[in-house]
Amino acid sequence: MTSAASAYNFPKASRGLESLVDDTSGAISVLPVLQGEAEKVTESDPLVKNWATVSKFKGKSGELLLVPGPDGSVSKVLLGLEGLSDIWGFAALTKLPPGKYALQLPESAASPAAASTAALAFLLGSYSFDRYKKKTPDTDSGKPQLVWPKGADKQAVSALSQSFYLARDLITTPAEDLGPQHLVEEARALAAAHAGASFNVIQGEELLAQGFPAIHTVGRACSRPPALIDIRWAPGGADAAQLPLLALVGKGVCFDSGGLNIKTAAGMLMMKKDMGGAALMLALAHVIMSGGLPVRLRVMVPAVENSISGNAYRPLDVLQTRAGITVENGNTDAEGRLILCDAMFEAATEKPDLLIDAATLTGAARVAVGADLPAVFSSDDGVWEALNSAANEENDPLWRLPLYKPYRKLLDSKVADIKSCATEGPGAITAALYLQEFVKDLPRWVHIDTGAYNNSSKDGRPEGGEAQALRALWRYLQQRYPKRQ
């Protein structure tokens, strides 16, 4: 077990940048082959054309063809792509043998964007979680390197890749080494890395004293005390106080036993990832601050472990909340919404222009849309339409579920103001309707119910923790809050 005295993951989030280099000497050329253009690309070189024919190269997305030179070594590489925005096609480059490669993108108006996409894809594909693996002399020497593609936005790509590495590391780290206090230190390190950021944390009994009773109730049974992380940031400038306020809230359940409604062994197995919403919001905060987005930012992460002990909260207990709303607890394994409601209500008191929360909240969302698609709820149709458009542009898909008001009655309680969960009906929707009670007065609110995990490895998406929706959210926020020219 590592001490929570300092951050472990955030300082290592830039490690992937070593796979991109500036030196072009000795680099092997990689030629993109867009779908349906394999014959066009190869017709000028009989050797390449014959080799592609023999190898049955079709130029499918992510398909690689290593063309040998006279001495048998690789002389060039063909890479199949659906188009120049095919991020997962570009990610296949990390499967190349050790060596240095240079991507030869066609000169066009799309080239800078394609160059950044290719660079990010290579970084995402180069990711590995090897914290607990023995290091050997050939651990890194056996990996390919890519020359920074011409025109790539190095700063933007670096910040986004660091955000992915941070989120993936946090989610994949076992709970023994990522409890509430570890998450506090990771957030503290994140804030310290950005000029203009401040950091505050409320822990343990102080949560009661300062009016966050639901967070305390859920986390009090663990020997590692519950905490509420609070980061604020604004870019420099005399007009910073006039910028719109953006609030991010992430569920930070560092491990979920289910509490007294204890999970099965199978249900509990992957619960180290139950802080995936917090990881996503911290990752998004990093890219926002790195990119100097013209907003005032507030990030809140309630961090707890849902454990079992003599003082654990119980089914049908009535919980107090920061909002003054009493909650009849229907299930101790539906704890995420209880800690979120305190943090979300506090964030809403400052009337942000937009509030986004993210959580690994319900199994029902995974039943509805599967492991790869985050379910999204939005109180504003225009926000959803813009976010969905950004998601499609980024090939980072999301799926909207409805805030169907007639289902709200399923949360009616005879002993409290509201039930925490319904005993029947669509669980993802009723969970979102519960959260909406705490942000009723906000004009724009987005709730993301994410799986936060790749269940199997694909190009650029290794098995393990994942910042699902990060690219979509970042593109959307850049469009909503454009920088002044």
Side-chain angles (χ1 to χ4, degrees), residues 63-77:
E63 186 180 3
L64 294 166
L65 179 67
L66 279 62
V67 181
D71 61 354
S73 63
V74 178
S75 66
K76 63 181 65 175
V77 176

Side-chain angles (χ1 to χ4, degrees), residues 220-481:
R220 72 189 183 197
C222 183
S223 59
R224 301 192 284 190
L228 176 61
I229 295 161
D230 193 349
I231 297 173
R232 294 178 184 267
W233 171 87
D239 63 344
Q242 306 305 316
L243 294 173
L245 176 63
L246 170 64
L248 308 178
V249 181
K251 172 188 168 185
V253 177
C254 296
F255 190 79
D256 183 15
S257 69
L260 292 176
N261 292 117
I262 191 168
K263 292 178 180 289
T264 63
M268 199 187 302
L269 182 63
M270 293 303 299
M271 284 302 100
K272 67 177 184 179
K273 77 179 182 75
D274 212 19
M275 38 62 64
L280 175 59
M281 292 295 96
L282 291 173
L284 182 58
H286 177 61
V287 74
I288 287 171
M289 293 187 284
S290 297
L293 197 71
V295 296
R296 290 176 294 128
L297 178 67
R298 190 177 189 188
V299 185
M300 304 195 77
V301 173
V304 304
E305 183 170 336
N306 189 22
S307 298
I308 300 172
S309 71
N311 68 338
Y313 76 116
R314 295 160 288 268
L316 298 189
D317 277 355
V318 175
L319 278 66
Q320 304 297 319
T321 68
R322 187 168 183 79
I325 298 171
T326 56
V327 178
E328 182 183 14
N329 177 46
N331 191 325
T332 64
D333 194 21
E335 79 299 327
R337 66 200 70 184
L338 298 176
I339 64 172
L340 282 173
C341 71
D342 268 3
M344 288 171 60
F345 179 79
E346 167 57 25
T349 60
E350 297 186 345
K351 305 299 181 185
D353 176 67
L354 173 64
L355 188 153
I356 302 172
D357 83 83
T360 48
L361 203 64
T362 67
R366 306 285 68 77
V367 172
V369 297
D372 295 342
L373 274 176
V376 176
F377 298 83
S378 177
S379 64
D380 183 275
D381 290 340
V383 169
W384 161 250
E385 289 166 6
L387 175 57
N388 189 44
S389 176
N392 290 333
E393 291 168 7
E394 284 288 335
N395 189 22
D396 192 16
L398 307 171
W399 200 266
R400 190 184 191 185
L401 295 181
L403 290 162
Y404 186 58
K405 290 182 180 179
Y407 289 154
R408 168 60 182 81
K409 65 183 179 183
L410 297 173
L411 297 173
D412 288 346
S413 169
K414 295 181 179 179
V415 300
D417 296 326
I418 191 172
K419 290 180 181 178
S420 62
C421 52
T423 56
E424 59 178 332
I429 296 175
T430 54
L433 289 170
Y434 169 85
L435 293 177
Q436 190 175 29
E437 293 292 310
F438 297 85
V439 293
K440 270 186 171 181
D441 296 332
L442 290 186
R444 286 169 292 277
W445 163 60
V446 172
H447 165 58
I448 300 174
D449 194 334
T450 177
Y453 211 83
N454 296 322
N455 292 327
S456 60
S457 292
K458 302 173 185 175
D459 290 341
R461 295 152 290 177
E463 181 178 341
E466 186 60 283
Q468 293 174 335
L470 177 57
R471 291 183 296 114
L473 287 167
W474 176 227
R475 178 178 279 257
Y476 164 68
L477 291 175
Q478 290 178 94
Q479 293 169 348
R480 181 171 183 84
Y481 306 109

